[in-house]
Amino acid sequence: MDLSLTGKRALVCGASQGIGRAAAQELARNGASVTLLARNPETLQEAVASLSVHGGQTHHAIAVDMADEVALLTHVHNHVDEHGPIHILVNNTAGPAGGPLVDSAVESLRQAFENHVLVAHQLTKILAVGMAASGYGRVINIISTSVKMPIDGLGVSNTIRGAMASWSKTMANELGPKGITVNNVLPGATETDRLTSIITRNATNKGRSEDAVRAAMIAEIPVGRFGQPEEIANAVGFLASPAASYITGTSILVDGGRTKALS
């Protein structure tokens, strides 16, 4: 398979830690020049320093809060003007706070929709022009297995992730003729700070120890363990590559078999 991304440029959102950082590292290992986007300048620079430069790539960082739409779009526009088109966009945003959907404020849904769907939409509109002109485009969205089966206690997240999946399918249909693929990676329980916070919250709400909650979650996963960010990043690297040129409009589960739905 041709997994080489030599000569390609990628923008990875939420790239200072967790799955976003692992995805940036994987794309760099495959030869891409990667621009990392997140809020914290210090952690961003640490992440940039961790990227491979074996192919002579040059990596960059954009420190901006994705909730600040004007600043975000201005930074990305300026970056493209200065460094050239982006061929690979990885949309990755921290998930909304947990809790039952029925108890969630309307504002929390609105904010989550803006931070996920609208940000992905705006970035794709900006970058698709350069992707089409260069004849190579990959939009990869890090979403959740809740696209297939809702997850208890993550009401707002379930709702917004479903909206993201529908947006992605529509964009795949519209951008396909321009040589741009749009796909989703659906991580299962992955060893990140978000998973730790979910375990802590569940333990508190259920009056159980964190070890007991962790063990119960692992018991639902056929491979018997949580995933690692690098394992999610492997799927991102494949979808970004020339080898995935005929894959678009789909959602790929990377969850150790936890999701029981067939499709």
Side-chain angles (χ1 to χ4, degrees):
M1 290 191 296
D2 182 7
L3 300 178
S4 174
L5 296 174
T6 300
K8 301 297 188 292
R9 300 184 62 247
L11 173 64
V12 181
C13 301
S16 63
Q17 60 183 342
I19 292 172
R21 180 168 178 164
Q25 291 170 335
E26 177 65 16
L27 296 175
R29 274 193 294 270
N30 290 346
S33 294
V34 185
T35 298
L36 288 70
L37 189 152
R39 286 180 299 181
N40 189 295
E42 290 75 20
T43 55
L44 266 178
Q45 289 304 322
E46 292 174 4
V48 169
S50 75
L51 301 182
S52 171
V53 292
H54 70 280
Q57 310 102 298
T58 301
H59 306 302
H60 300 91
I62 298 176
V64 63
D65 188 340
M66 294 179 68
D68 186 340
E69 179 182 348
V70 173
L72 172 66
L73 300 184
T74 298
H75 277 290
V76 172
H77 269 297
N78 291 342
H79 187 76
V80 170
D81 288 343
E82 181 177 356
H83 299 288
I86 297 291
H87 307 96
I88 301 157
L89 168 63
V90 179
N91 286 309
N92 175 54
T93 306
L101 183 59
V102 70
D103 295 334
S104 300
V106 170
E107 181 56 32
S108 66
L109 284 160
R110 181 180 294 112
Q111 189 64 52
F113 188 82
E114 291 177 355
N115 290 349
H116 291 76
V117 182
L118 297 190
V119 165
H121 185 67
Q122 294 276 52
L123 291 177
T124 300
K125 283 172 64 69
I126 292 172
L127 302 180
V129 176
M131 292 178 182
S134 63
Y136 194 99
R138 302 284 189 269
V139 178
I140 303 164
N141 310 301
I142 310 298
I143 312 185
S144 167
T145 59
S146 63
V147 168
K148 302 292 185 180
M149 293 178 63
I151 300 173
D152 291 344
L154 294 178
V156 173
S157 180
N158 293 340
T159 304
I160 299 306
R161 305 302 195 181
M164 274 292 297
S166 293
W167 170 85
S168 175
K169 183 64 174 178
T170 303
M171 291 298 276
N173 295 340
E174 295 180 2
L175 295 178
K178 299 181 179 182
I180 302 170
T181 66
V182 185
N183 291 292
N184 306 316
V185 173
L186 312 183
T190 308
E191 290 279 12
T192 62
D193 289 343
R194 177 166 171 77
L195 178 64
T196 300
S197 68
I198 289 173
I199 291 172
T200 299
R201 186 188 69 246
N202 288 346
T204 300
N205 291 342
K206 297 176 181 178
R208 303 174 65 190
S209 71
E210 293 187 13
D211 286 343
V213 171
R214 176 179 287 267
M217 292 177 68
I218 290 176
E220 296 178 353
I221 304 171
V223 301
R225 62 177 177 83
F226 292 142
Q228 297 299 314
E230 294 76 16
E231 293 174 303
I232 314 304
N234 289 338
V236 174
F238 170 70
L239 290 172
S241 75
S245 59
Y246 202 57
I247 301 174
T248 193
T250 194
S251 295
I252 297 179
L253 289 160
V254 189
D255 70 343
R258 184 185 67 179
T259 303
K260 302 301 189 292
L262 291 174
S263 61

